[in-house]
Amino acid sequence: MLISMYDASVTVFLHNLNQLSHLLDKGLEHAKANGIDPATLVEARLAPDMLPLSKQVQIASDTAKLAAARLTGIAAPSYEDNESTFEELQARIAKTREWLQGLARETFAASEERAVSFKAGPTELNFAGLGYLLHFAIPNFFFHVTTAYDILRHNGVPIGKRDYLGRA
Amino acid sequence: MLISMYDASVTVFLHNLNQLSHLLDKGLEHAKANGIDPATLVEARLAPDMLPLSKQVQIASDTAKLAAARLTGIAAPSYEDNESTFEELQARIAKTREWLQGLARETFAASEERAVSFKAGPTELNFAGLGYLLHFAIPNFFFHVTTAYDILRHNGVPIGKRDYLGRA
């Protein structure tokens, strides 16, 4: 009946960042095959006041590394959020995955009870590690991965559920 | 370092189905305030060959109840997928949550190792319970909740990340 905080966080982020990379591959391929400037996809949004694809990828990366950092107490690398091409977004995903892969399973010991506090906008949020992971970090992570998918799909990129889920 | 399969499944589905209900409330409220036929939102899609809002809600419900059923061996209720109004979609979410709330925590004992096999289209998928939950059910669930959000947001409903995440 018991699973580890490491499995519920790092393995989930690694798997789905890999799928996000695959979705971006499909986006770039579609642009090249149809004479579309790839930058139009990188900058695409679902609404004028929603964030563009580039930002969805940056926040998915941030959510994953910040979750691991907050659960372990290990400082996450800071990135500049200046990616503006598919290649740069792929590099962002790759370095995020590399950092996550370097975290030892043991560093998540007792992280389900660890106090996690941070500011979201003007609001101070206080969680225990378990609630933070299950009710903030994971929903937030999938929000940005799925919205990246939805932006690409809305713009005609031929992707389906299998491209999103991959194989476990 | 250990958390329960119940926490990682049922509590996540309950919390986020509740947020999905809140998002639909905001959608109906926006339609009423702006003289929009609510049916146009229920039938809205992000691409002509993507599923409409109604179906996103139905599949989020299905993913949650099927995950709990497959992890426990308890049969899930079957619904007709005939909801076509905001009120009917709310009723669908409410009965899904009610069924999930009735599941005893103990029924998830050893579910991380339980064999889970089912067909997804033509493909037979075989998982252990842990991989099924973390790498199929949870990503799939959030895909449909987020896509429901994205459809509403794309159509002008004034919702933000806080409406999606709620408070844990």
Side-chain angles (χ1 to χ4, degrees):
Chain A
M1 185 166 180
L2 296 174
I3 63 183
S4 79
M5 289 289 285
Y6 177 88
D7 285 331
S9 58
V10 175
T11 71
V12 170
F13 298 142
L14 283 174
H15 178 76
N16 293 284
L17 285 171
N18 202 42
Q19 294 313 120
L20 180 58
S21 166
H22 169 68
L23 295 170
L24 295 180
D25 276 342
K26 300 281 281 188
L28 180 57
E29 186 183 307
H30 176 76
K32 285 182 173 168
N34 293 276
I36 296 167
D37 179 354
T40 60
L41 293 182
V42 171
E43 293 160 13
R45 306 164 191 261
L46 290 173
D49 56 351
M50 277 186 85
L51 297 170
L53 178 66
S54 56
K55 198 77 193 163
Q56 305 295 342
V57 174
Q58 288 162 0
I59 301 179
S61 154
D62 280 348
T63 304
K65 68 186 171 65
L66 282 174
R70 287 169 179 155
L71 290 173
T72 60
I74 296 169
S78 178
Y79 304 137
E80 285 186 46
D81 291 341
N82 57 359
E83 295 85 0
S84 64
T85 65
F86 276 101
E87 292 76 9
E88 288 168 359
L89 291 172
Q90 292 287 9
R92 170 69 174 258
I93 294 172
K95 65 186 175 186
T96 307
R97 292 188 80 246
E98 200 174 331
W99 182 75
L100 288 168
Q101 282 168 331
L103 294 172
R105 179 176 278 272
E106 296 70 42
T107 57
F108 287 77
S111 62
E112 73 276 13
E113 292 172 357
R114 192 181 184 100
V116 175
S117 299
F118 58 98
K119 284 205 152 191
T123 315
E124 165 102 10
L125 296 177
N126 297 290
F127 291 96
L130 178 62
Y132 167 69
L133 178 62
L134 295 180
H135 299 300
F136 189 92
I138 285 180
N140 204 30
F141 175 75
F142 282 112
F143 180 92
H144 293 287
V145 175
T146 301
T147 299
Y149 175 102
D150 284 342
I151 290 171
L152 291 168
R153 188 74 168 69
H154 177 65
N155 280 277
V157 178
I159 45 180
K161 181 66 75 61
R162 187 175 294 200
D163 296 299
Y164 168 81
L165 287 175
R167 284 288 166 269
Chain B
M1 184 168 178
L2 297 172
I3 64 181
S4 80
M5 289 289 284
Y6 178 89
D7 285 331
S9 58
V10 174
T11 71
V12 170
F13 298 142
L14 283 174
H15 178 76
N16 292 283
L17 285 171
N18 201 41
Q19 293 315 119
L20 180 58
S21 166
H22 170 67
L23 295 170
L24 295 180
D25 276 343
K26 300 281 280 189
L28 180 57
E29 186 184 306
H30 177 76
K32 285 181 173 169
N34 293 277
I36 295 167
D37 179 355
T40 61
L41 293 181
V42 171
E43 294 160 12
R45 307 164 191 262
L46 290 173
D49 57 350
M50 277 187 84
L51 296 171
L53 179 64
S54 56
K55 199 75 193 168
Q56 304 296 341
V57 175
Q58 288 161 2
I59 302 179
S61 154
D62 279 349
T63 304
K65 66 186 172 66
L66 283 174
R70 286 170 177 153
L71 290 172
T72 61
I74 295 169
S78 178
Y79 303 137
E80 284 186 46
D81 292 341
N82 56 0
E83 294 86 1
S84 64
T85 66
F86 275 102
E87 292 77 7
E88 288 168 358
L89 291 172
Q90 291 287 10
R92 170 70 174 258
I93 293 172
K95 64 188 176 186
T96 307
R97 292 188 81 245
E98 200 174 332
W99 182 75
L100 288 168
Q101 282 167 330
L103 294 172
R105 181 176 276 273
E106 294 72 42
T107 59
F108 287 76
S111 62
E112 74 276 13
E113 292 172 356
R114 191 181 184 102
V116 174
S117 299
F118 58 96
K119 285 204 150 192
T123 314
E124 166 103 8
L125 297 177
N126 298 290
F127 291 96
L130 178 62
Y132 166 69
L133 177 63
L134 295 180
H135 299 300
F136 189 94
I138 285 179
N140 203 31
F141 175 74
F142 282 113
F143 179 92
H144 293 287
V145 174
T146 301
T147 299
Y149 174 103
D150 284 342
I151 290 172
L152 290 168
R153 188 75 168 69
H154 177 64
N155 280 276
V157 177
I159 46 181
K161 181 66 76 58
R162 188 175 293 202
D163 296 298
Y164 167 82
L165 286 176
R167 283 288 166 268

